[in-house]
């Protein structure tokens, strides 16, 4: 039997460059540059194999000490005696460990972090990640992303595929992005898994429900009913007059208004970060009057503060309409306005869509069209104001 433990700490420390056997196939290699490493020689099916066991560190703080090298050598020699290649086995173990670190939950978080710069507010609202967090990760989070297939995805999203179609679509979309992120990391994933899952799930039976909107002919009567001068009534009146979404109204600050123009900051617009820009809203005489009425309520610069702190909630105006037994909601007034524009004016498509803060035309077209049609929209919004405050609603001709 070959002698074991031939080396000592003292001998290793004073060793000249060269290779020294400790026994049992363990070798100490001192290099010319002063560095050193451990090598294990084993025989598997008559073929000699050499595997590195790490660099040498006398204290065992950041490398492999003599004691640790001997323990590693015993472990891998025992495996070789079973006819297994220790080098291949170590690689297999490393791959398994990597899989544990490459679970869907881990990669999803990494994909989210990488995408934050593109998301509004850096993804702080959590809306991008929520569909995954609620409907995918609870079931598939611990699955190694390389093992994820279309059947896993299909089984996970099937319960909401027809009942919560929009949420399911978002979850599927986010999952596809996560898989592409994993592929970019060099992981062996099936980036077509989401498309295959869609094929298995079939077309959704869910019918999209649009936000109920008040017919534009009925808007004046509703506007007139908002007459008690409260923050909610004033905010809802301004929302109707400007045809913007609720967030810009709720976060309206007095310093955003100059003359008869309200400049909404990019972060309060719906557009993606790569499309985001300030949006100018021409204010009608009626809208300016509403702002004057709201000024006494202003706090911390916000025109529509909540009772306690911050601004009024997203649901405040909706609840008012709900309490009145209405199916319509505040966001629907954008539809009321856009329908009025189409049916009661001859406004051009470009001006009408710009008034809605919609992105129109190709990227190249937008690059060369450097106007927001402010003057045309000023006329349009004044006409809308005239209608809302009791005009006849007759067809008007607007210059483009």
């Amino acid at each position: 039997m070959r002698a074991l433990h031939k080396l000592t700490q003292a001998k290793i420390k004073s060793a000249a460059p060269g290779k020294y056997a400790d026994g049992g196939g363990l070798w100490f290699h001192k290099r010319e540059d002063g560095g050193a490493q451990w090598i294990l020689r084993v025989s598997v099916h008559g073929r000699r194999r050499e595997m590195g066991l790490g660099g040498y560190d006398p204290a065992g703080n950041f490398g492999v000490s003599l004691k640790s090298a001997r323990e590693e050598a015993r472990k891998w020699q025992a495996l070789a005696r079973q006819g297994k290649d220790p080098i291949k086995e170590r690689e297999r173990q490393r791959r398994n460990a990597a899989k544990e670190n490459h679970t869907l939950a881990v990669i999803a978080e990494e994909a989210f972090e990488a995408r934050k710069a593109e998301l509004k507010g850096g993804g702080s609202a959590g809306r991008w990640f929520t569909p995954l967090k609620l409907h995918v990760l609870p079931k598939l989070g611990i699955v190694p992303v390389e093992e994820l297939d279309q059947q896993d995805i299909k089984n996970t999203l099937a319960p909401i595929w027809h009942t919560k179609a929009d949420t399911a679509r978002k979850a599927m979309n986010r999952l596809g992005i996560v898989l592409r992120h994993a592929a970019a990391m060099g992981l062996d994933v099936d980036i077509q898994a989401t498309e295959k899952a869609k094929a298995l799930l079939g077309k959704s039976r869910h019918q999209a429900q649009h936000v109920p909107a008040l017919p534009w002919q009925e808007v004046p009567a509703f506007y007139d009913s908002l007459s008690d001068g409260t923050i909610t009534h004033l905010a809802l009146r301004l929302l109707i007059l400007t045809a913007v979404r609720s967030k810009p109204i709720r976060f309206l600050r007095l310093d955003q208004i100059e003359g008869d123009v309200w400049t909404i900051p990019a972060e309060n617009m719906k557009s993606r970060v790569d499309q985001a820009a300030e949006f100018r809203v021409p204010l009608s005489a009626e809208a300016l009057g509403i702002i004057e009425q709201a000024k006494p309520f202003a706090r911390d610069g916000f025109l529509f503060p909540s009772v306690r702190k911050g601004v009024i909630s997203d649901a405040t105006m909706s609840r008012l309409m709900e309490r009145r037994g209405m199916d319509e909601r505040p966001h629907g007034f954008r539809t009321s306005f856009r329908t009025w524009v189409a049916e009661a004016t001859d406004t051009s498509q470009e001006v009408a869509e710009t008034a809605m803060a919609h992105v129109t035309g190709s990227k190249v077209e937008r690059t060369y069209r450097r106007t927001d049609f402010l003057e045309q929209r000023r006329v349009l919004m004044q006409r809308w104001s005239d209608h809302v405050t009791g005009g006849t609603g007759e067809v008007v001709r607007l210059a483009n």
Side-chain angles (χ1 to χ4, degrees), residues 176-225:
I177 292 171
V178 171
L179 290 176
R180 290 194 291 276
H181 184 84
M185 293 172 60
L187 300 179
D188 184 18
V189 296
D190 181 2
I191 60 174
Q192 296 297 319
T194 52
E195 292 302 315
K196 295 174 184 176
K198 288 179 185 178
L200 293 175
L201 287 163
K203 186 176 181 180
S204 173
R205 294 190 298 270
H206 179 78
Q207 297 296 318
Q209 298 294 319
H210 297 293
V211 177
L214 200 65
W216 62 266
Q217 295 90 341
E218 299 177 20
V219 172
F222 178 77
Y223 183 89
D224 186 60
S225 72

Side-chain angles (χ1 to χ4, degrees), residues 235 237-245 249 262 279 281-284 287 334 337 355 381 384:
R237 276 192 164 191
L238 191 61
L239 179 141
I240 293 170
L241 290 166
T242 55
V244 300
R245 295 178 174 85
I249 293 290
W262 168 26
F279 180 65
V281 178
L283 299 169
S284 64
R334 285 171 55 81
F337 167 75
M381 300 316 293
W384 171 242

Side-chain angles (χ1 to χ4, degrees), residues 20-314:
Y20 303 88
D22 184 56
L26 180 62
W27 288 76
F28 177 74
H29 179 202
K30 184 71 173 289
R31 300 192 303 271
E32 293 287 346
D33 62 5
Q37 65 192 89
W38 296 104
I39 298 172
L40 177 64
R41 292 175 179 173
V42 297
S43 179
V44 182
H45 302 305
R47 185 164 63 106
R48 193 175 84 169
R49 302 280 277 155
E50 288 191 358
M51 66 185 296
L53 298 182
Y56 169 68
D57 171 24
N61 294 324
F62 54 84
V64 180
S65 66
L66 175 58
K67 179 181 178 182
S68 296
R70 286 170 175 167
E71 292 174 354
E72 283 291 296
R74 283 196 297 270
K75 179 178 71 174
W76 296 118
Q77 281 284 20
L79 198 69
R81 286 193 292 272
Q82 298 174 25
K84 297 180 180 179
D85 187 329
I87 296 177
K88 291 182 178 180
E89 177 62 19
R90 183 168 63 181
E91 285 303 310
R92 187 188 68 78
Q93 292 180 9
R94 285 175 176 172
R95 286 196 300 272
N96 288 340
K99 283 184 178 180
E100 292 180 4
N101 292 328
H102 292 153
T103 61
L104 180 61
V106 170
I107 303 302
E109 286 283 358
E110 290 188 19
F112 179 44
E113 287 296 323
R115 199 170 177 82
K116 275 185 176 180
E118 304 175 33
L119 302 175
K120 192 174 177 182
S124 59
R127 293 177 181 173
W128 191 93
F129 201 72
T130 297
L132 291 175
K133 183 178 180 181
L134 295 181
H135 302 286
V136 177
L137 298 183
K139 295 181 180 179
L140 299 178
I142 62 173
V143 175
V145 71
E146 291 180 305
E147 297 179 8
L148 192 67
D149 62 24
Q150 63 268 26
Q151 199 65 47
D152 296 324
I153 299 170
K154 179 253 185 184
N155 292 339
T156 299
L157 293 180
I160 63 170
W161 189 247
H162 298 293
T163 58
K164 298 180 179 179
D166 190 54
T167 300
R169 177 186 58 80
K170 290 178 181 178
M172 189 75 80
N173 172 269
R174 310 297 196 263
L175 197 50
I177 292 171
V178 171
L179 290 176
R180 290 194 291 276
H181 184 84
M185 293 172 60
L187 300 179
D188 184 18
V189 296
D190 181 2
I191 60 174
Q192 296 297 319
T194 52
E195 292 302 315
K196 295 174 184 176
K198 288 179 185 178
L200 293 175
L201 287 163
K203 186 176 181 180
S204 173
R205 294 190 298 270
H206 179 78
Q207 297 296 318
Q209 298 294 319
H210 297 293
V211 177
L214 200 65
W216 62 266
Q217 295 90 341
E218 299 177 20
V219 172
F222 178 77
Y223 183 89
D224 186 60
S225 72
L226 302 171
S227 58
D228 68 4
T230 62
I231 288 179
T232 303
H233 279 211
L234 292 172
L236 195 46
R237 276 192 164 191
L238 191 61
L239 179 141
I240 293 170
L241 290 166
T242 55
V244 300
R245 295 178 174 85
S246 66
K247 183 175 181 179
I249 293 290
R250 294 188 300 112
F251 286 89
L252 192 159
R253 298 180 62 89
L254 293 172
D255 57 14
Q256 295 170 3
I257 299 171
E258 186 173 348
D260 67 348
V261 176
W262 168 26
T263 302
I264 302 175
E267 61 267 23
N268 288 348
M269 298 299 294
K270 185 181 179 181
S271 302
R272 290 167 32 142
V273 169
D274 57 354
Q275 299 173 338
E278 293 181 341
F279 180 65
R280 296 194 297 173
V281 178
L283 299 169
S284 64
E286 177 74 7
L288 289 170
I290 295 299
I291 290 169
E292 285 299 319
Q293 292 180 55
K295 281 183 178 179
F297 296 107
R299 186 177 68 235
D300 299 327
F302 292 110
L303 198 64
F304 300 112
S306 68
V307 176
R308 294 179 178 82
K309 65 177 182 177
V311 299
I312 58 175
S313 75
D314 195 29

